[in-house]
Amino acid sequence: MLVQTISTGTADDKVQRDAVLTAALTIFSLEGFAGASVRQIASLANCNHAMIRYYFGTKDALWKAAVEYLFEREKNEMSMSDGLSDALLRGERSAAETWIRRYVAYCRRHPEHARIMVQASIRNDEKLAWAADEFIRRKHGQVLPYIEALMKTGVLPACQSALNLGYILVAACQTMFMLAPEIEQLYGPEDLQKHEDRHADAVVATLLR
């Protein structure tokens, strides 16, 4: 696991590692892989860029470590340990609403997730292929059965493809926060946290029956 590269030392090492990977996600999501520099990431993480080179080697390896950290963070913050997965597989409406609200909150906290994956998709290079093989295909294998179960019970609208409806659901949850700079240009500085519940309400009202 790439994100374990510098996690075997002290607690301070882990704090520094997390700061570097969080900074990397921010810079990669804003500048793209080609435009991002290790010096920018080091400055944002408040560390020496030579330390990043020492622990992660190349910028490519740092990108992969950051994306691995991204998906691990999503798994932790979208935890199904409370039995939500079983309830979704039963097609329960209350579970669907909880799932959507949890995901909207995640998207508000971490708009860099959508941004970095959009950039990877636009490039459509070996980095996207790596992310698809390592994380995205497995995630689809977990999520699409939820969509199918919720369509079967009528909680989600019936569609020919759970995949299409899944992407509609993801886009509905992500887009407002991914495009936060656009909203700020149009409406001035916005506290997007105050929009979290209202946005979740809108997604629930639009998609759930």
Side-chain angles (χ1 to χ4, degrees):
M1 300 286 280
L2 289 168
V3 297
Q4 293 178 348
T5 304
I6 59 174
S7 64
T8 56
T10 66
D12 287 343
D13 291 333
K14 184 181 185 308
V15 169
Q16 185 65 80
R17 178 210 69 183
D18 290 352
V20 168
L21 295 174
T22 300
L25 288 172
T26 298
I27 298 300
F28 284 132
S29 72
L30 292 174
E31 305 292 342
F33 179 79
S37 74
V38 173
R39 288 185 182 274
Q40 285 176 297
I41 294 166
S43 177
L44 186 58
N46 195 28
C47 70
N48 191 305
H49 78 279
M51 184 275 289
I52 297 178
R53 296 285 189 189
Y54 176 77
Y55 283 117
F56 294 99
T58 65
K59 187 169 77 167
D60 183 79
L62 176 59
W63 187 92
K64 288 182 177 179
V67 169
E68 182 176 335
Y69 178 75
L70 177 79
F71 280 98
E72 185 67 21
R73 182 178 65 187
E74 181 189 34
K75 183 177 75 172
N76 291 336
E77 295 189 19
M78 291 290 294
S79 173
M80 298 285 186
S81 61
D82 55 358
L84 184 61
S85 179
D86 290 341
L88 287 168
L89 290 173
R90 291 192 295 269
E92 296 179 7
R93 189 189 187 284
S94 60
E97 182 167 341
T98 297
W99 186 38
I100 287 171
R101 293 186 182 282
R102 195 172 292 180
Y103 187 56
V104 168
Y106 173 84
C107 293
R108 194 269 305 165
R109 290 192 300 270
H110 305 298
E112 67 278 5
H113 189 136
R115 291 170 184 160
I116 202 168
M117 287 296 102
V118 166
Q119 291 195 16
S121 293
I122 291 169
R123 290 194 311 268
N124 193 22
D125 58 12
E126 70 282 353
K127 290 180 181 61
L128 178 63
W130 173 83
D133 287 341
E134 292 290 325
F135 309 108
I136 302 171
R137 185 169 288 108
R138 180 168 62 250
K139 182 180 173 183
H140 278 216
Q142 296 167 343
V143 169
L144 291 182
Y146 301 152
I147 303 292
E148 291 167 353
L150 292 166
M151 286 195 298
K152 188 174 181 178
T153 57
V155 173
L156 284 174
C159 298
Q160 288 186 332
S161 170
L163 177 63
N164 295 109
L165 186 55
Y167 271 102
I168 290 169
L169 177 59
V170 166
C173 294
Q174 288 180 343
T175 303
M176 182 174 190
F177 306 106
M178 183 175 66
L179 298 181
E182 176 181 292
I183 294 171
E184 185 169 328
Q185 288 292 330
L186 291 170
Y187 301 104
E190 287 281 322
D191 177 6
L192 289 181
Q193 186 168 2
K194 74 181 182 182
H195 286 284
E196 184 180 305
D197 287 340
R198 282 183 284 179
H199 192 65
D201 288 344
V203 175
V204 167
T206 301
L207 291 177
L208 298 192
R209 301 294 183 259

